[in-house]
Amino acid sequence: RLKLRPASTPPSRGASILPHASCSPAVLMALGGVRFWVLGSSLAVLCSGEILHGQRISPNAKKEADKKMLKDVQDTLSKILPGADATTVLPTLPKALQDLSWLYDGAASQASAIPVNREQILKSFKAKEVSTSAATYGELLPPSAAAMMEYALKEHRNIRWDGTKHNRYELQSDERPKFVDLGSGFGKVTILASLLGFDARGYELADPRMAAACNALNKLKQGPVSASSDIPQHCEVAAGESHGKLDFFHGSFTEESVNIADADLVFTDSVFWTPEMMKILGKKAKSMKSGSLIVSFKSFPGDAFAEVTKLSLPTSWSSSTEWQLQQVK
């Protein structure tokens, strides 16, 4: 039996806060639109203003959210790769989306679901002398990221489907393909890449976003979610049966130590990257293997890259954002 308190009761210490947009119709239907705190459970809701979320949400709400994500992947993939079936291209897609939803407490598709300290983020960028305009946050939504990865897997000349031994996409060497996210934010796209079979790594400069990404990673490997204020410089989980190797690195991807030569697919949400940042990325990416792919809002500069096509993918700021797909010559 649930114990109820008035909605004015403050949340428990350490609760995660989501904005009012998180009160989707599915959530409201599952909860009956009631404003209440649930005590003794990891879920508390105030749908008129914000949702406090933990590891448990209504099974019906989660099921509806997972179905919608899968439908959104198919809708997006149909536009960029007509005739392709999302679950045929990647049979593990439904489970990967379900796992991602679980890792982010049912809010994976909501860009503003994780509260952050804006001043702390700006401080992170200023400390590395990186343009603060690059701190502006937006997301390629998980269904869009999944469709983008499926397109890349199907069109990548160095990657093939192994339907006998491992039932996954592999390089000719039988290794998993490598995915790199430059500016990985809260880690959703990078983690999704790992869940879809890539060895994936992300680089993030903003302290709060790095902390959130590592918390999700720790949940994936069933480790403790950190309550410490210390920001990890690196967190990782080894490859498992249901995911590839996963790493997050804290720092600027423009640093000389960041090497992306082994990447088969690079993604970067470069809307606010400066010309100097793009120049650095172009220099790094020209060392990638021939045939490797790059998906970026802005094209990587240099004659080492061929323009392949433009992908129209929904984002947190638009229902259709145009992304440049380039191939390393």
Side-chain angles (χ1 to χ4, degrees):
R1 180 175 296 178
L2 298 177
K3 299 178 182 179
L4 304 182
R5 283 185 186 171
S8 58
T9 303
S12 61
R13 183 178 179 181
S16 302
I17 301 176
L18 281 74
H20 68 279
S22 301
C23 289
S24 66
V27 171
L28 287 172
M29 287 176 63
L31 298 172
V34 181
R35 302 175 64 195
F36 59 89
W37 302 118
V38 181
L39 306 181
S41 167
S42 57
L43 175 66
V45 179
L46 175 55
C47 277
S48 61
E50 60 196 18
I51 291 182
L52 307 181
H53 71 290
Q55 295 181 12
R56 295 169 57 193
I57 64 172
S58 160
N60 287 337
K62 184 180 185 304
K63 183 177 179 181
E64 289 303 312
D66 291 346
K67 284 173 59 178
K68 184 179 185 308
M69 274 210 293
L70 185 59
K71 181 180 182 301
D72 288 347
V73 175
Q74 183 59 61
D75 290 346
T76 302
L77 185 65
S78 296
K79 294 175 182 177
I80 62 176
L81 198 61
D85 179 79
T87 54
T88 300
V89 175
L90 265 174
T92 58
L93 177 64
K95 184 179 186 305
L97 294 175
Q98 291 170 12
D99 288 347
L100 187 73
S101 177
W102 171 70
L103 291 172
Y104 288 91
D105 300 332
S109 284
Q110 300 176 34
S112 57
I114 302 173
V116 293
N117 185 319
R118 174 71 176 171
E119 292 305 315
Q120 188 180 7
I121 290 175
L122 294 176
K123 184 179 178 181
S124 303
F125 279 71
K126 290 176 182 177
K128 292 290 186 178
E129 298 183 349
V130 175
S131 170
T132 53
S133 66
T136 305
Y137 191 71
E139 281 187 3
L140 180 67
L141 301 176
S144 300
M148 176 267 289
M149 292 175 207
E150 290 204 340
Y151 181 97
L153 289 169
K154 288 291 290 182
E155 299 299 307
H156 205 298
R157 74 185 191 203
N158 299 333
I159 298 175
R160 59 181 174 80
W161 172 257
D162 171 19
T164 56
K165 185 177 180 181
H166 296 130
N167 287 314
R168 69 187 188 199
Y169 286 93
E170 296 180 335
L171 303 172
Q172 295 299 322
S173 60
D174 290 344
E175 296 177 334
R176 295 176 184 269
K178 293 178 173 59
F179 175 90
V180 175
D181 189 344
L182 302 172
S184 49
F186 297 118
K188 298 175 190 176
V189 173
T190 315
I191 290 178
L192 180 59
S194 173
L195 293 171
L196 290 175
F198 289 89
D199 283 338
R201 65 182 188 269
Y203 297 87
E204 177 55 44
L205 182 54
D207 292 358
R209 297 173 191 155
M210 177 68 181
C214 286
N215 278 340
L217 179 149
N218 286 334
K219 190 174 178 182
L220 177 65
K221 66 178 181 181
Q222 298 181 335
V225 175
S226 175
S228 170
S229 60
D230 295 335
I231 307 300
Q233 295 303 302
H234 174 223
C235 58
E236 64 180 325
V237 61
E241 289 186 7
S242 62
H243 59 82
K245 189 177 188 302
L246 178 62
D247 294 84
F248 287 110
F249 296 91
H250 185 216
S252 173
F253 53 71
T254 61
E255 293 176 0
E256 189 174 346
S257 60
V258 175
N259 188 332
I260 61 173
D262 63 337
D264 299 291
L265 175 60
V266 165
F267 171 74
T268 184
D269 188 349
S270 57
V271 176
F272 287 100
W273 295 175
T274 65
E276 180 60 26
M277 292 169 72
M278 295 305 299
K279 183 178 178 181
I280 292 172
L281 291 183
K283 184 177 179 180
K284 289 178 180 291
K286 70 179 183 181
S287 63
M288 293 165 61
K289 299 185 292 290
S290 176
S292 297
L293 297 177
I294 299 165
V295 178
S296 171
F297 182 81
K298 296 176 180 177
S299 293
F300 278 32
D303 57 9
F305 315 107
E307 302 290 336
V308 178
T309 189
K310 301 180 190 299
L311 301 177
S312 180
L313 303 169
T315 58
S316 60
W317 66 89
S318 172
S319 60
S320 180
T321 301
E322 194 170 82
W323 299 82
Q324 314 304 313
L325 176 64
Q326 296 173 284
Q327 185 180 66
V328 180
K329 293 180 180 177

